[in-house]
Amino acid sequence: MIFEIIGMIIIAYLLGSIPTGLWIGKYIYHKDIRKLGSGNIGTTNTFRTLGFKAGVVVLVIDILKGTLAASQPYFLGISGTVNPLLIGLFASLGHTVSIFDNFHGGKAVATSAGILLAYNPLLFVVACLIFIFVLCLTSMVSAASMVGISAIFIIALFIHAWILAIVAGILTGVVFYRHRSNIHRILSGKESMVSFGLGYYLREKKLNRVGDN
């Protein structure tokens, strides 16, 4: 059993380490995404710098990295002994400190969502709905990401799902740490926004009012 666990951890880390945005940018678009936009290799910066198609591909693959990693105990028939969340956690670790990117990486949001998809599809849907709601409200992907992962942590505490609460708590800390620069920009009113939603509408309305004056 111990060797199976070690093997699953290694595979989970390597899956999470796949720098999807970096490789797609480098080998398909011949661009280094680390030198474009925010410099992050995750989904948001891929959408921003490489376009919609590339962004969708990166999003799907990054989610699947977490899903496949966390699904290993199911594949081996030992999910009753080894909790899939604990294995999936190493995929998020790989995503943030990738062995293929000099131990740099993304912010672990999509990969963490993929872990949740493998463990509890219903909670995955709930997290997605919360993310979309907050995104439409604030027009900020960063805010939606942090609220989404925090919501799962709170829900896990409420339903007494302690292992999920522990893993979600760890991932919440990771996501907030990786978004620390975004938090500063949010507080200073300088965070980037998507071109839709209430936040974007209010900002554009304010800018137009200032321009008219």
Side-chain angles (χ1 to χ4, degrees):
M1 178 67 72
I2 186 65
F3 293 108
E4 291 176 328
I5 293 174
I6 293 174
M8 287 188 294
I9 288 173
I10 293 173
I11 291 172
Y13 173 76
L14 292 176
L15 280 171
S17 289
I18 297 172
T20 318
L22 175 62
W23 285 357
I24 287 178
K26 182 177 181 180
Y27 296 114
I28 297 180
Y29 292 85
H30 306 293
K31 295 179 180 179
D32 188 344
I33 194 173
R34 296 170 298 185
K35 298 178 181 178
L36 302 171
S38 66
N40 190 268
I41 66 170
T43 300
T44 303
N45 197 41
T46 303
F47 271 108
R48 184 181 299 122
T49 59
L50 300 181
F52 181 79
K53 291 181 180 179
V56 170
V57 172
V58 170
L59 174 62
V60 171
I61 294 178
D62 282 354
I63 289 175
L64 288 177
K65 292 191 305 185
T67 302
L68 290 173
S71 293
Q72 291 181 91
Y74 297 122
F75 296 151
L76 296 177
I78 56 174
S79 59
T81 305
V82 181
N83 192 295
L85 289 170
L86 300 178
I87 301 300
L89 185 59
F90 288 90
S92 288
L93 174 64
H95 186 79
T96 55
V97 285
S98 169
I99 193 173
F100 303 119
D101 187 25
N102 299 315
F103 297 101
H104 296 99
K107 297 180 179 179
V109 176
T111 302
S112 298
I115 296 169
L116 188 60
L117 175 60
Y119 181 73
N120 191 317
L122 178 58
L123 282 180
F124 171 79
V125 173
V126 170
C128 289
L129 291 175
I130 292 172
F131 176 90
I132 293 170
F133 174 77
V134 177
L135 180 61
C136 290
L137 187 66
T138 65
S139 303
M140 300 178 191
V141 175
S142 56
S145 299
M146 290 185 284
V147 172
I149 189 68
S150 299
I152 295 302
F153 173 58
I154 294 171
I155 291 172
L157 290 175
F158 183 76
I159 64 177
H160 298 169
W162 302 121
I163 294 181
L164 176 59
I166 291 170
V167 173
I170 292 171
L171 292 176
T172 297
V174 170
V175 168
F176 270 74
Y177 177 76
R178 297 291 290 178
H179 281 84
R180 59 194 185 278
S181 60
N182 301 85
I183 294 172
H184 289 306
R185 290 195 296 271
I186 290 173
L187 294 175
S188 62
K190 298 178 180 178
E191 177 66 332
S192 299
M193 291 184 176
V194 296
S195 57
F196 61 86
L198 180 61
Y200 178 79
Y201 169 77
L202 293 176
R203 188 183 69 176
E204 291 299 300
K205 185 176 180 180
K206 180 179 179 180
L207 290 175
N208 290 334
R209 187 165 58 246
V210 172
D212 292 338
N213 292 333

